[in-house]
Amino acid sequence: MLPFPESRFSPAHLPNTDLRRILIIRGGAIGDFILILPAIKELRDAYPDARIDILGYKHIAVLVQNRFYTDRVCSIESAELARFFAKDADLPHEMASYFAGFDLIVSYLYDPDSIFENNLRRSGVKKIVRGPAKIENDCHATEQLARPLGELGLFALEFAPKLFPSSEDRRRAAEFLTGLDTPIVAFHPGSGSKRKNWPLQHWIELGNHFLANAVGSLVIVSGEADQEQTAKLQTICDNSRVRFANSLPLAELAAVLEKTIFIGHDSGISHLASAAGATSILLFGPTDSAIWAPRNKNTRVICAPGGDLQRLDVDLVRAALDHELMRIGIST
């Protein structure tokens, strides 16, 4: 179990004790959200008594609601919010009042002409910090996302996102895993792009290699974007030691994965697994691992030759899996 981290700030060294209500606005997919966790942790450490809200996609942001980082999550999928992107718009009173209630708003929304920011100020918001809407190639994404907090006198030192599943998350995870023997190896054979996927046949070979051992279970993770990959695997995996985690709520999935050996691609689920504490082996192809790979110590990255996952030999990944199994006393 991961404990909530202790603040590195003492009360005498808080940057600004006047910030009592903070709003973080973040859209994007699962990985995009998890990458801002070091920035949120910096705010939570600096203002431990502040109320922190997130305006984002609720099914993703619930990962951190009442789980150390934030107190409340509100949906970014609001028709009224769209009016804040129109110049000199007649702003909806209820949402304008909501924004005005915060001492600080940190926004990662794309706002090249500052229209959204200006409308926030028209609502009465006095302190706004703009995070980067686009990641550049100069340093790791988590560093870029935390950098704007320097305006508040905050400078992050930790860039490995962590998730803290609740006791209820773990209870549901235990129910899902009932009947499976340990060790549990988890595969996520999909991602948001076919170019970032290892060939399905390699996943099958790797799974058969693991299942040839007399012990252990295999969990195959999938979501909406992975249905084609998962459907093919389901037709060939008739084994009581294999269980499919299809579209589980993300907080529950984090609890399912936290004690597994996880293998995946450059995907949001891989970021989730690493942040939850899984021993992660991640296969990177065309994307730059120096920018996008999780920086958690429990994560090992294997880069494909020439950035082409079609050329990544299954033997290399098999050896990495065997190494992690041997570390916990399982011979292969």
Side-chain angles (χ1 to χ4, degrees), residues 256-317:
V256 166
L257 296 176
E258 65 179 331
K259 294 182 180 179
T260 65
I261 298 172
F262 174 88
I263 307 177
H265 303 121
D266 174 18
S267 72
I269 298 300
S270 292
H271 280 278
L272 181 145
S274 291
T279 298
S280 300
I281 301 167
L282 304 186
L283 318 180
F284 267 67
T287 48
D288 187 349
S289 62
I291 304 293
W292 296 108
R295 298 178 73 172
N296 306 72
K297 292 181 180 178
N298 51 297
T299 299
R300 172 181 176 179
V301 174
I302 300 176
C303 294
D308 183 359
L309 279 163
Q310 301 291 322
R311 297 170 55 194
L312 179 58
D313 197 298
V314 69
D315 288 342
L316 186 61
V317 184

Short mmCIF file of all heavy atoms in Angstrom, two decimals, residues 256-317:
data_model
loop_
_atom_site.label_atom_id
_atom_site.label_comp_id
_atom_site.label_asym_id
_atom_site.label_seq_id
_atom_site.Cartn_x
_atom_site.Cartn_y
_atom_site.Cartn_z
N VAL A 256 -6.14 -2.83 -9.32
CA VAL A 256 -5.88 -4.15 -9.89
C VAL A 256 -4.42 -4.29 -10.29
O VAL A 256 -3.78 -5.32 -10.08
CB VAL A 256 -6.80 -4.40 -11.11
CG1 VAL A 256 -6.32 -5.61 -11.93
CG2 VAL A 256 -8.24 -4.62 -10.67
N LEU A 257 -3.86 -3.22 -10.86
CA LEU A 257 -2.51 -3.30 -11.44
C LEU A 257 -1.39 -3.05 -10.46
O LEU A 257 -0.24 -3.38 -10.75
CB LEU A 257 -2.40 -2.30 -12.60
CG LEU A 257 -3.30 -2.55 -13.81
CD1 LEU A 257 -3.13 -1.43 -14.82
CD2 LEU A 257 -3.00 -3.90 -14.45
N GLU A 258 -1.66 -2.49 -9.28
CA GLU A 258 -0.58 -1.96 -8.45
C GLU A 258 0.43 -3.01 -7.99
O GLU A 258 1.58 -2.67 -7.72
CB GLU A 258 -1.13 -1.18 -7.25
CG GLU A 258 -1.90 -1.99 -6.25
CD GLU A 258 -2.38 -1.12 -5.09
OE1 GLU A 258 -1.73 -0.12 -4.75
OE2 GLU A 258 -3.42 -1.46 -4.49
N LYS A 259 0.06 -4.27 -7.92
CA LYS A 259 1.01 -5.30 -7.48
C LYS A 259 1.34 -6.30 -8.59
O LYS A 259 1.83 -7.39 -8.32
CB LYS A 259 0.46 -6.03 -6.26
CG LYS A 259 0.34 -5.13 -5.03
CD LYS A 259 -0.16 -5.88 -3.82
CE LYS A 259 -0.25 -4.96 -2.61
NZ LYS A 259 -0.76 -5.67 -1.41
N THR A 260 1.08 -5.92 -9.82
CA THR A 260 1.34 -6.81 -10.95
C THR A 260 2.70 -6.52 -11.58
O THR A 260 3.34 -5.50 -11.31
CB THR A 260 0.27 -6.65 -12.04
OG1 THR A 260 0.36 -5.33 -12.61
CG2 THR A 260 -1.12 -6.87 -11.49
N ILE A 261 3.11 -7.44 -12.45
CA ILE A 261 4.14 -7.15 -13.43
C ILE A 261 3.39 -6.77 -14.70
O ILE A 261 2.67 -7.58 -15.27
CB ILE A 261 5.06 -8.36 -13.69
CG1 ILE A 261 5.80 -8.76 -12.41
CG2 ILE A 261 6.06 -8.05 -14.81
CD1 ILE A 261 6.58 -10.05 -12.53
N PHE A 262 3.52 -5.53 -15.10
CA PHE A 262 2.71 -4.98 -16.19
C PHE A 262 3.57 -4.80 -17.43
O PHE A 262 4.70 -4.30 -17.35
CB PHE A 262 2.12 -3.64 -15.77
CG PHE A 262 1.39 -2.92 -16.87
CD1 PHE A 262 0.04 -3.15 -17.10
CD2 PHE A 262 2.06 -2.00 -17.68
CE1 PHE A 262 -0.63 -2.49 -18.12
CE2 PHE A 262 1.39 -1.34 -18.70
CZ PHE A 262 0.04 -1.58 -18.93
N ILE A 263 3.03 -5.17 -18.59
CA ILE A 263 3.71 -4.96 -19.86
C ILE A 263 2.75 -4.23 -20.80
O ILE A 263 1.60 -4.66 -20.99
CB ILE A 263 4.18 -6.28 -20.50
CG1 ILE A 263 5.02 -7.09 -19.51
CG2 ILE A 263 5.00 -6.01 -21.77
CD1 ILE A 263 5.47 -8.44 -20.01
N GLY A 264 3.21 -3.12 -21.34
CA GLY A 264 2.35 -2.33 -22.23
C GLY A 264 3.17 -1.47 -23.17
O GLY A 264 4.40 -1.57 -23.23
N HIS A 265 2.45 -0.61 -23.89
CA HIS A 265 3.07 0.30 -24.85
C HIS A 265 3.16 1.71 -24.26
O HIS A 265 2.98 1.90 -23.06
CB HIS A 265 2.23 0.36 -26.14
CG HIS A 265 2.03 -0.96 -26.80
ND1 HIS A 265 0.79 -1.49 -27.04
CD2 HIS A 265 2.92 -1.86 -27.29
CE1 HIS A 265 0.91 -2.66 -27.66
NE2 HIS A 265 2.19 -2.91 -27.81
N ASP A 266 3.41 2.68 -25.11
CA ASP A 266 3.30 4.09 -24.74
C ASP A 266 1.82 4.43 -24.77
O ASP A 266 1.25 4.76 -25.80
CB ASP A 266 4.08 4.96 -25.73
CG ASP A 266 3.87 6.45 -25.46
OD1 ASP A 266 3.41 6.79 -24.35
OD2 ASP A 266 4.14 7.25 -26.36
N SER A 267 1.17 4.31 -23.62
CA SER A 267 -0.28 4.53 -23.55
C SER A 267 -0.65 5.08 -22.19
O SER A 267 0.13 5.04 -21.24
CB SER A 267 -1.03 3.21 -23.77
OG SER A 267 -0.88 2.36 -22.64
N GLY A 268 -1.89 5.60 -22.10
CA GLY A 268 -2.38 6.10 -20.84
C GLY A 268 -2.46 5.01 -19.78
O GLY A 268 -2.19 5.26 -18.60
N ILE A 269 -2.82 3.79 -20.18
CA ILE A 269 -2.91 2.70 -19.22
C ILE A 269 -1.53 2.36 -18.66
O ILE A 269 -1.38 2.02 -17.49
CB ILE A 269 -3.54 1.45 -19.87
CG1 ILE A 269 -4.97 1.76 -20.32
CG2 ILE A 269 -3.54 0.27 -18.91
CD1 ILE A 269 -5.91 2.17 -19.21
N SER A 270 -0.49 2.49 -19.48
CA SER A 270 0.87 2.25 -18.99
C SER A 270 1.26 3.31 -17.96
O SER A 270 1.89 3.00 -16.94
CB SER A 270 1.87 2.25 -20.15
OG SER A 270 1.67 1.12 -20.98
N HIS A 271 0.90 4.56 -18.21
CA HIS A 271 1.15 5.60 -17.22
C HIS A 271 0.40 5.31 -15.92
O HIS A 271 0.93 5.49 -14.82
CB HIS A 271 0.75 6.96 -17.78
CG HIS A 271 1.76 7.55 -18.70
ND1 HIS A 271 2.87 8.23 -18.25
CD2 HIS A 271 1.83 7.56 -20.05
CE1 HIS A 271 3.58 8.65 -19.29
NE2 HIS A 271 2.98 8.25 -20.40
N LEU A 272 -0.83 4.85 -16.07
CA LEU A 272 -1.62 4.50 -14.89
C LEU A 272 -0.98 3.37 -14.10
O LEU A 272 -0.87 3.43 -12.87
CB LEU A 272 -3.04 4.12 -15.33
CG LEU A 272 -4.05 3.75 -14.25
CD1 LEU A 272 -5.45 4.23 -14.62
CD2 LEU A 272 -4.08 2.25 -14.02
N ALA A 273 -0.53 2.32 -14.79
CA ALA A 273 0.09 1.18 -14.12
C ALA A 273 1.35 1.59 -13.37
O ALA A 273 1.55 1.22 -12.21
CB ALA A 273 0.41 0.08 -15.14
N SER A 274 2.21 2.37 -14.02
CA SER A 274 3.44 2.81 -13.37
C SER A 274 3.14 3.69 -12.16
O SER A 274 3.76 3.54 -11.11
CB SER A 274 4.33 3.58 -14.36
OG SER A 274 4.84 2.71 -15.35
N ALA A 275 2.18 4.59 -12.30
CA ALA A 275 1.82 5.49 -11.19
C ALA A 275 1.17 4.74 -10.04
O ALA A 275 1.28 5.15 -8.88
CB ALA A 275 0.90 6.60 -11.69
N ALA A 276 0.51 3.62 -10.34
CA ALA A 276 -0.13 2.83 -9.29
C ALA A 276 0.87 1.96 -8.53
O ALA A 276 0.55 1.45 -7.46
CB ALA A 276 -1.22 1.95 -9.90
N GLY A 277 2.06 1.76 -9.10
CA GLY A 277 3.08 0.97 -8.41
C GLY A 277 3.43 -0.33 -9.06
O GLY A 277 4.25 -1.10 -8.53
N ALA A 278 2.83 -0.64 -10.22
CA ALA A 278 3.14 -1.89 -10.90
C ALA A 278 4.61 -1.91 -11.34
O ALA A 278 5.19 -0.88 -11.69
CB ALA A 278 2.24 -2.08 -12.13
N THR A 279 5.21 -3.10 -11.33
CA THR A 279 6.52 -3.29 -11.96
C THR A 279 6.28 -3.30 -13.46
O THR A 279 5.70 -4.24 -13.99
CB THR A 279 7.15 -4.61 -11.50
OG1 THR A 279 7.36 -4.55 -10.09
CG2 THR A 279 8.47 -4.85 -12.21
N SER A 280 6.68 -2.24 -14.14
CA SER A 280 6.25 -2.02 -15.52
C SER A 280 7.37 -2.20 -16.52
O SER A 280 8.49 -1.70 -16.32
CB SER A 280 5.66 -0.61 -15.67
OG SER A 280 4.54 -0.44 -14.82
N ILE A 281 7.06 -2.91 -17.60
CA ILE A 281 7.95 -3.07 -18.75
C ILE A 281 7.22 -2.44 -19.93
O ILE A 281 6.18 -2.96 -20.37
CB ILE A 281 8.25 -4.55 -19.03
CG1 ILE A 281 8.91 -5.21 -17.81
CG2 ILE A 281 9.14 -4.69 -20.27
CD1 ILE A 281 8.96 -6.73 -17.89
N LEU A 282 7.73 -1.33 -20.43
CA LEU A 282 7.01 -0.58 -21.45
C LEU A 282 7.77 -0.60 -22.77
O LEU A 282 8.98 -0.35 -22.82
CB LEU A 282 6.79 0.86 -20.98
CG LEU A 282 6.07 1.02 -19.64
CD1 LEU A 282 5.78 2.48 -19.35
CD2 LEU A 282 4.79 0.19 -19.59
N LEU A 283 7.03 -0.88 -23.84
CA LEU A 283 7.60 -1.02 -25.16
C LEU A 283 7.35 0.26 -25.96
O LEU A 283 6.21 0.59 -26.26
CB LEU A 283 6.98 -2.22 -25.88
CG LEU A 283 6.80 -3.49 -25.02
CD1 LEU A 283 6.17 -4.61 -25.86
CD2 LEU A 283 8.14 -3.93 -24.41
N PHE A 284 8.43 0.97 -26.29
CA PHE A 284 8.30 2.24 -27.00
C PHE A 284 8.76 2.08 -28.44
O PHE A 284 9.79 1.46 -28.72
CB PHE A 284 9.14 3.32 -26.31
CG PHE A 284 8.35 4.12 -25.31
CD1 PHE A 284 7.87 3.52 -24.15
CD2 PHE A 284 8.07 5.46 -25.53
CE1 PHE A 284 7.15 4.25 -23.22
CE2 PHE A 284 7.34 6.20 -24.62
CZ PHE A 284 6.88 5.59 -23.45
N GLY A 285 8.00 2.68 -29.35
CA GLY A 285 8.33 2.67 -30.76
C GLY A 285 8.60 4.06 -31.27
O GLY A 285 9.66 4.63 -31.03
N PRO A 286 7.64 4.69 -31.97
CA PRO A 286 7.91 5.96 -32.64
C PRO A 286 7.97 7.17 -31.71
O PRO A 286 8.47 8.21 -32.11
CB PRO A 286 6.73 6.10 -33.62
CG PRO A 286 5.63 5.30 -32.99
CD PRO A 286 6.30 4.15 -32.32
N THR A 287 7.47 7.06 -30.48
CA THR A 287 7.50 8.20 -29.58
C THR A 287 8.79 8.23 -28.77
O THR A 287 9.42 7.20 -28.54
CB THR A 287 6.29 8.17 -28.63
OG1 THR A 287 6.15 6.87 -28.07
CG2 THR A 287 5.01 8.54 -29.37
N ASP A 288 9.14 9.41 -28.30
CA ASP A 288 10.41 9.62 -27.60
C ASP A 288 10.23 9.29 -26.12
O ASP A 288 9.55 10.02 -25.38
CB ASP A 288 10.83 11.08 -27.77
CG ASP A 288 12.23 11.38 -27.22
OD1 ASP A 288 12.78 10.50 -26.51
OD2 ASP A 288 12.75 12.46 -27.50
N SER A 289 10.87 8.24 -25.67
CA SER A 289 10.73 7.82 -24.27
C SER A 289 11.32 8.85 -23.31
O SER A 289 10.89 8.95 -22.15
CB SER A 289 11.39 6.46 -24.05
OG SER A 289 12.79 6.52 -24.31
N ALA A 290 12.29 9.64 -23.76
CA ALA A 290 12.88 10.66 -22.89
C ALA A 290 11.87 11.75 -22.55
O ALA A 290 12.01 12.43 -21.53
CB ALA A 290 14.10 11.28 -23.56
N ILE A 291 10.86 11.91 -23.38
CA ILE A 291 9.80 12.91 -23.14
C ILE A 291 8.58 12.28 -22.49
O ILE A 291 7.97 12.85 -21.58
CB ILE A 291 9.38 13.58 -24.47
CG1 ILE A 291 10.59 14.20 -25.17
CG2 ILE A 291 8.30 14.63 -24.22
CD1 ILE A 291 11.21 15.36 -24.43
N TRP A 292 8.22 11.06 -22.93
CA TRP A 292 6.90 10.52 -22.62
C TRP A 292 6.89 9.32 -21.68
O TRP A 292 5.83 9.00 -21.13
CB TRP A 292 6.18 10.14 -23.92
CG TRP A 292 5.92 11.32 -24.79
CD1 TRP A 292 6.54 11.64 -25.95
CD2 TRP A 292 4.97 12.37 -24.55
NE1 TRP A 292 6.05 12.81 -26.47
CE2 TRP A 292 5.07 13.27 -25.63
CE3 TRP A 292 4.03 12.62 -23.54
CZ2 TRP A 292 4.28 14.42 -25.71
CZ3 TRP A 292 3.24 13.75 -23.63
CH2 TRP A 292 3.37 14.64 -24.71
N ALA A 293 7.99 8.64 -21.48
CA ALA A 293 7.95 7.45 -20.63
C ALA A 293 7.80 7.83 -19.16
O ALA A 293 8.37 8.83 -18.72
CB ALA A 293 9.22 6.63 -20.82
N PRO A 294 7.03 7.06 -18.38
CA PRO A 294 6.94 7.33 -16.94
C PRO A 294 8.33 7.32 -16.30
O PRO A 294 9.18 6.50 -16.65
CB PRO A 294 6.08 6.17 -16.42
CG PRO A 294 5.30 5.70 -17.60
CD PRO A 294 6.21 5.91 -18.79
N ARG A 295 8.52 8.21 -15.33
CA ARG A 295 9.82 8.31 -14.67
C ARG A 295 9.85 7.56 -13.34
O ARG A 295 10.76 7.75 -12.54
CB ARG A 295 10.17 9.79 -14.48
CG ARG A 295 10.29 10.51 -15.81
CD ARG A 295 10.59 11.98 -15.66
NE ARG A 295 11.96 12.21 -15.23
CZ ARG A 295 12.51 13.43 -15.16
NH1 ARG A 295 11.80 14.49 -15.49
NH2 ARG A 295 13.76 13.58 -14.74
N ASN A 296 8.88 6.71 -13.13
CA ASN A 296 8.83 5.93 -11.90
C ASN A 296 9.96 4.91 -11.87
O ASN A 296 10.29 4.28 -12.89
CB ASN A 296 7.48 5.22 -11.79
CG ASN A 296 6.32 6.19 -11.92
OD1 ASN A 296 6.06 6.69 -13.02
ND2 ASN A 296 5.64 6.46 -10.83
N LYS A 297 10.54 4.69 -10.69
CA LYS A 297 11.65 3.76 -10.55
C LYS A 297 11.25 2.32 -10.86
O LYS A 297 12.10 1.49 -11.19
CB LYS A 297 12.22 3.86 -9.14
CG LYS A 297 12.92 5.18 -8.84
CD LYS A 297 13.48 5.20 -7.44
CE LYS A 297 14.19 6.53 -7.16
NZ LYS A 297 14.71 6.59 -5.77
N ASN A 298 9.97 2.03 -10.74
CA ASN A 298 9.48 0.67 -10.99
C ASN A 298 9.25 0.42 -12.48
O ASN A 298 8.66 -0.61 -12.84
CB ASN A 298 8.18 0.44 -10.22
CG ASN A 298 7.16 1.55 -10.46
OD1 ASN A 298 7.40 2.69 -10.10
ND2 ASN A 298 6.02 1.21 -11.03
N THR A 299 9.71 1.30 -13.34
CA THR A 299 9.43 1.21 -14.78
C THR A 299 10.70 1.00 -15.58
O THR A 299 11.70 1.69 -15.40
CB THR A 299 8.73 2.49 -15.26
OG1 THR A 299 7.50 2.65 -14.56
CG2 THR A 299 8.45 2.43 -16.76
N ARG A 300 10.65 0.00 -16.47
CA ARG A 300 11.74 -0.24 -17.42
C ARG A 300 11.21 -0.02 -18.83
O ARG A 300 10.13 -0.50 -19.18
CB ARG A 300 12.25 -1.68 -17.28
CG ARG A 300 13.26 -2.08 -18.37
CD ARG A 300 13.73 -3.50 -18.23
NE ARG A 300 14.61 -3.89 -19.33
CZ ARG A 300 15.18 -5.07 -19.46
NH1 ARG A 300 14.97 -6.01 -18.53
NH2 ARG A 300 15.97 -5.35 -20.49
N VAL A 301 11.96 0.72 -19.63
CA VAL A 301 11.55 1.02 -21.00
C VAL A 301 12.42 0.23 -21.98
O VAL A 301 13.65 0.20 -21.85
CB VAL A 301 11.67 2.53 -21.30
CG1 VAL A 301 11.37 2.81 -22.77
CG2 VAL A 301 10.71 3.32 -20.40
N ILE A 302 11.78 -0.43 -22.94
CA ILE A 302 12.49 -1.12 -24.02
C ILE A 302 12.13 -0.39 -25.32
O ILE A 302 10.95 -0.34 -25.70
CB ILE A 302 12.09 -2.60 -24.12
CG1 ILE A 302 12.42 -3.33 -22.81
CG2 ILE A 302 12.78 -3.26 -25.30
CD1 ILE A 302 11.97 -4.78 -22.78
N CYS A 303 13.12 0.19 -25.97
CA CYS A 303 12.89 0.94 -27.20
C CYS A 303 13.12 0.04 -28.42
O CYS A 303 14.12 -0.67 -28.50
CB CYS A 303 13.80 2.15 -27.27
SG CYS A 303 13.45 3.39 -25.99
N ALA A 304 12.19 0.10 -29.34
CA ALA A 304 12.29 -0.71 -30.56
C ALA A 304 13.38 -0.17 -31.48
O ALA A 304 13.60 1.05 -31.54
CB ALA A 304 10.95 -0.72 -31.28
N PRO A 305 14.06 -1.05 -32.21
CA PRO A 305 15.08 -0.59 -33.17
C PRO A 305 14.48 0.36 -34.21
O PRO A 305 13.44 0.05 -34.82
CB PRO A 305 15.56 -1.89 -33.83
CG PRO A 305 15.22 -2.97 -32.84
CD PRO A 305 13.95 -2.51 -32.17
N GLY A 306 15.10 1.52 -34.34
CA GLY A 306 14.62 2.47 -35.33
C GLY A 306 13.23 3.00 -35.04
O GLY A 306 12.58 3.56 -35.94
N GLY A 307 12.74 2.82 -33.81
CA GLY A 307 11.40 3.27 -33.46
C GLY A 307 10.28 2.44 -34.07
O GLY A 307 9.11 2.83 -34.04
N ASP A 308 10.62 1.25 -34.59
CA ASP A 308 9.64 0.41 -35.28
C ASP A 308 9.35 -0.82 -34.43
O ASP A 308 10.18 -1.73 -34.33
CB ASP A 308 10.20 -0.01 -36.65
CG ASP A 308 9.22 -0.83 -37.46
OD1 ASP A 308 8.10 -1.10 -36.96
OD2 ASP A 308 9.58 -1.22 -38.59
N LEU A 309 8.17 -0.87 -33.84
CA LEU A 309 7.82 -1.99 -32.96
C LEU A 309 7.68 -3.31 -33.70
O LEU A 309 7.74 -4.37 -33.08
CB LEU A 309 6.52 -1.66 -32.20
CG LEU A 309 6.74 -0.76 -30.97
CD1 LEU A 309 5.43 -0.15 -30.51
CD2 LEU A 309 7.39 -1.55 -29.84
N GLN A 310 7.56 -3.26 -35.01
CA GLN A 310 7.54 -4.50 -35.78
C GLN A 310 8.90 -5.22 -35.69
O GLN A 310 8.99 -6.43 -35.87
CB GLN A 310 7.22 -4.21 -37.26
CG GLN A 310 5.89 -3.51 -37.49
CD GLN A 310 4.70 -4.40 -37.20
OE1 GLN A 310 4.73 -5.59 -37.49
NE2 GLN A 310 3.65 -3.82 -36.64
N ARG A 311 9.94 -4.45 -35.38
CA ARG A 311 11.30 -5.00 -35.33
C ARG A 311 11.74 -5.37 -33.91
O ARG A 311 12.87 -5.82 -33.74
CB ARG A 311 12.27 -3.98 -35.92
CG ARG A 311 12.03 -3.67 -37.40
CD ARG A 311 12.87 -2.49 -37.85
NE ARG A 311 14.29 -2.67 -37.57
CZ ARG A 311 15.19 -1.70 -37.63
NH1 ARG A 311 14.82 -0.46 -37.94
NH2 ARG A 311 16.47 -1.94 -37.38
N LEU A 312 10.87 -5.18 -32.94
CA LEU A 312 11.24 -5.51 -31.56
C LEU A 312 11.06 -7.00 -31.33
O LEU A 312 9.96 -7.53 -31.38
CB LEU A 312 10.39 -4.71 -30.57
CG LEU A 312 10.66 -4.97 -29.09
CD1 LEU A 312 12.12 -4.67 -28.74
CD2 LEU A 312 9.72 -4.14 -28.22
N ASP A 313 12.17 -7.69 -31.07
CA ASP A 313 12.17 -9.14 -30.94
C ASP A 313 11.47 -9.59 -29.67
O ASP A 313 11.69 -9.03 -28.59
CB ASP A 313 13.61 -9.66 -30.96
CG ASP A 313 13.68 -11.15 -31.25
OD1 ASP A 313 13.14 -11.92 -30.45
OD2 ASP A 313 14.29 -11.52 -32.27
N VAL A 314 10.64 -10.61 -29.79
CA VAL A 314 9.92 -11.12 -28.63
C VAL A 314 10.87 -11.67 -27.58
O VAL A 314 10.57 -11.64 -26.38
CB VAL A 314 8.89 -12.18 -29.07
CG1 VAL A 314 9.57 -13.45 -29.55
CG2 VAL A 314 7.91 -12.50 -27.95
N ASP A 315 12.03 -12.16 -27.99
CA ASP A 315 12.99 -12.71 -27.02
C ASP A 315 13.46 -11.65 -26.03
O ASP A 315 13.70 -11.95 -24.85
CB ASP A 315 14.20 -13.30 -27.75
CG ASP A 315 13.87 -14.60 -28.47
OD1 ASP A 315 12.84 -15.21 -28.13
OD2 ASP A 315 14.63 -14.99 -29.37
N LEU A 316 13.60 -10.42 -26.48
CA LEU A 316 14.07 -9.34 -25.61
C LEU A 316 13.03 -9.04 -24.52
O LEU A 316 13.37 -8.86 -23.34
CB LEU A 316 14.35 -8.09 -26.43
CG LEU A 316 14.97 -6.90 -25.70
CD1 LEU A 316 16.33 -7.28 -25.12
CD2 LEU A 316 15.13 -5.72 -26.66
N VAL A 317 11.78 -9.02 -24.91
CA VAL A 317 10.71 -8.75 -23.94
C VAL A 317 10.52 -9.95 -23.02
O VAL A 317 10.30 -9.80 -21.81
CB VAL A 317 9.39 -8.40 -24.67
CG1 VAL A 317 8.32 -8.01 -23.66
CG2 VAL A 317 9.62 -7.26 -25.67
#
